[in-house]
Amino acid sequence: MLRGQLVTMQDENVAEYRPIKFVPEVGGSTNGHFEGPPEGDVMAFAAPLAKDVVFLSAVGCKGNDQTINSRYLGTQHCSRDKLILRADAGDLRALITVRRSQIVKVVEIYAP
């Protein structure tokens, strides 16, 4: 089961993230969907983005191409500014790495 984070921006340097997991759909029209914690669960965290944060996009830096590996994880290096724009839109599902209380790596999970 794939577990990741839904990443949004609190301000220009601080990202908020909360856990999500992929839930397969059996017999439906899709493979499944991502779910967050149940309503009322307060499982949100926040940390500043490192100045040299690594962002690997699953849809390319322009947002119009699949740039994924066999596990549907992003492979294209994009800028910190592009990460901020994507997270600010509020729909960035990713695996994140936090080191010394800063987000140092964000790998987008492809979710069509």
Side-chain angles (χ1 to χ4, degrees), residues 64-84:
N64 60 355
D65 194 15
Q66 281 188 5
T67 53
I68 57 175
N69 63 18
S70 62
R71 296 184 61 214
Y72 296 96
L73 299 176
T75 60
Q76 185 172 15
H77 286 263
C78 296
S79 69
R80 183 180 193 276
D81 289 339
K82 185 57 70 171
L83 167 60
I84 291 169

Side-chain angles (χ1 to χ4, degrees), residues 35-99:
E35 270 185 15
E39 188 72 30
D41 191 329
V42 188
M43 286 287 295
F45 306 92
L49 295 176
K51 296 268 187 235
D52 58 348
V53 63
V54 173
F55 174 43
L56 300 176
S57 174
V59 294
C61 297
K62 293 182 181 179
N64 60 355
D65 194 15
Q66 281 188 5
T67 53
I68 57 175
N69 63 18
S70 62
R71 296 184 61 214
Y72 296 96
L73 299 176
T75 60
Q76 185 172 15
H77 286 263
C78 296
S79 69
R80 183 180 193 276
D81 289 339
K82 185 57 70 171
L83 167 60
I84 291 169
L85 284 173
R86 298 284 306 284
D88 201 33
D91 196 30
L92 179 61
R93 291 161 178 87
L95 302 176
I96 65 168
T97 303
V98 177
R99 189 173 296 128

